[in-house]
Amino acid sequence: MATINAYWRHAPFSHDAGQRNRDDIAGSEADSVHTGTLSDEHQEVSDGRPVLVEDETGRVYQAADLPPGTQVMVSHTTDQIQQIIEKSRRVGFEVIINDKN
């Protein structure tokens, strides 16, 4: 079991299908970025599936809770961390390792 500091991002999207003008979407062109932890040790984990826990709100996300195309970025990997990364990928998270150190 492990916990990894991570951030995740997804392209902006709208829940409505209507046309919007430029004033409605001003400032929404940037990706939505959240920070938190990727963990299989959280109280919300009952079946061993990793979850994301947001730093700011404490909200817990399973892979199915995130918009399509959401990427979870982790800064490094070790053998122990690689296990949770592989488990996270199997349950549907798109995990990207950013080893640019």
Side-chain angles (χ1 to χ4, degrees):
M1 292 202 243
T3 298
I4 307 170
N5 290 328
Y7 70 92
W8 60 99
R9 64 179 179 215
H10 55 82
F13 66 98
S14 174
H15 292 287
D16 63 358
Q19 291 288 333
R20 299 182 301 166
N21 63 34
R22 294 297 301 164
D23 292 336
D24 292 338
I25 61 172
S28 67
E29 291 86 6
D31 288 351
S32 177
V33 178
H34 305 271
T35 61
T37 56
L38 180 61
S39 177
D40 60 358
E41 296 179 343
H42 191 271
Q43 65 186 11
E44 295 285 329
V45 176
S46 60
D47 57 1
R49 293 177 177 223
V51 295
L52 282 169
V53 183
E54 189 173 19
D55 286 338
E56 188 173 329
T57 64
R59 185 171 177 186
V60 177
Y61 299 92
Q62 295 181 354
D65 298 332
L66 301 173
T70 300
Q71 295 180 324
V72 179
M73 310 293 282
V74 297
S75 61
H76 66 282
T77 185
T78 64
D79 288 339
Q80 182 182 12
I81 291 173
Q82 188 64 34
Q83 292 174 5
I84 190 171
I85 290 172
E86 292 305 319
K87 186 188 276 188
S88 299
R89 287 176 175 159
R90 283 194 300 271
V91 300
F93 288 108
E94 182 181 344
V95 181
I96 308 295
I97 301 167
N98 185 9
D99 271 335
K100 296 179 183 174
N101 292 339

